[in-house]
């Protein structure tokens, strides 16, 4: 049991004294970057889905519309 207690004590010491925690401003900047990246990725996936028409509801997308006009 003393090994576990030693582990907890050393972990606490490392987290409190050795880890460099980001500032609140750095956390805000990181959160904004993640949110913007998520929105961009969502838009890219939406546009790909819209263009390719991968939708079980019968919608064939822009390419399906063009193929229907051609053929």
């Amino acid at each position: 049991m003393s090994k576990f207690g030693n582990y907890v004590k050393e972990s606490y010491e490392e987290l409190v004294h050795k880890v460099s925690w980001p500032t609140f401003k750095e956390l805000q900047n990181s959160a904004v970057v993640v949110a913007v990246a998520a929105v961009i990725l969502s838009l890219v996936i939406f546009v790909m889905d819209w263009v390719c028409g991968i939708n079980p509801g019968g919608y064939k997308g822009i390419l399906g519309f063009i193929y229907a006009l051609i053929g």
Side-chain angles (χ1 to χ4, degrees), residues 60-70:
K60 298 186 189 296
I62 293 174
L63 290 177
F65 177 73
I66 293 172
Y67 292 149
L69 288 177
I70 294 173

Side-chain angles (χ1 to χ4, degrees), residues 42-57:
S42 298
L43 289 174
V44 167
I45 292 172
F46 172 76
V47 168
M48 288 170 54
D49 184 42
W50 187 57
V51 169
C52 295
I54 303 170
N55 189 348

Side-chain angles (χ1 to χ4, degrees), residues 19-28 30:
V19 174
S20 62
W21 296 97
T23 64
F24 186 69
K25 186 67 175 167
E26 291 171 337
L27 288 175
Q28 285 179 322
S30 297

